[in-house]
Amino acid sequence: MMALRERAIVSPQLVPSLPQHVRIQHDPVRQAFAVLSPEKIFWPNDISLDILRRCDGRSTVGHIIADLAAEYDAEQEAVAADVVAFLQEWSDKLLVKL
């Protein structure tokens, strides 16, 4: 019987990172960045890419939200909702470690 992993829930104090099997790579043909994982390729938009690049294993979710809010001159609450939803979805797909 296969063990089910417990779902990680995004919170401000967590420190997200990319798992070893996931990497960001520039595709010169498409002039775009791709997120590569075994047998899968994702083409994130610019904001998603900005979030993923901050998943460095050092910055907390709260710091990532504050950093993006400052960079985009946006309300922190609006940015927080988008960042948490994105990280939760990518964590559920095993593309981000929380």
Side-chain angles (χ1 to χ4, degrees), residues 65 76-86:
I65 291 166
Q76 207 159 327
E77 293 77 25
V79 171
D82 290 343
V83 169
V84 167
F86 176 83

Side-chain angles (χ1 to χ4, degrees), residues 33-44:
F33 283 91
V35 176
L36 308 176
S37 74
E39 301 181 24
K40 293 181 189 158
I41 298 178
F42 300 88
W43 299 96

Side-chain angles (χ1 to χ4, degrees), residues 6 58 66 73 79:
E6 193 170 320
R58 294 185 302 273
D73 194 24
V79 171

Side-chain angles (χ1 to χ4, degrees), residues 2 4 11 28 41 61 87-88 91:
M2 197 166 100
L4 295 175
S11 64
I41 298 178
V61 171
L87 289 175
Q88 189 65 64
S91 170

Side-chain angles (χ1 to χ4, degrees), residues 54-76:
R54 287 170 168 82
C55 294
D56 56 11
R58 294 185 302 273
S59 301
T60 64
V61 171
H63 181 84
I64 291 169
I65 291 166
D67 198 33
L68 288 167
E71 183 174 325
Y72 286 97
D73 194 24
E75 291 293 321
Q76 207 159 327

Side-chain angles (χ1 to χ4, degrees), residues 8-67:
I9 303 298
V10 178
S11 64
Q13 68 274 12
L14 292 179
V15 180
S17 63
L18 298 182
Q20 279 189 310
H21 69 275
V22 175
R23 61 190 167 99
I24 299 170
Q25 183 173 311
H26 187 261
D27 181 331
V29 174
R30 292 191 187 202
Q31 289 297 299
F33 283 91
V35 176
L36 308 176
S37 74
E39 301 181 24
K40 293 181 189 158
I41 298 178
F42 300 88
W43 299 96
N45 64 29
D46 289 342
I47 294 172
S48 297
L49 201 54
D50 282 347
I51 296 169
L52 289 171
R53 285 186 171 137
R54 287 170 168 82
C55 294
D56 56 11
R58 294 185 302 273
S59 301
T60 64
V61 171
H63 181 84
I64 291 169
I65 291 166
D67 198 33

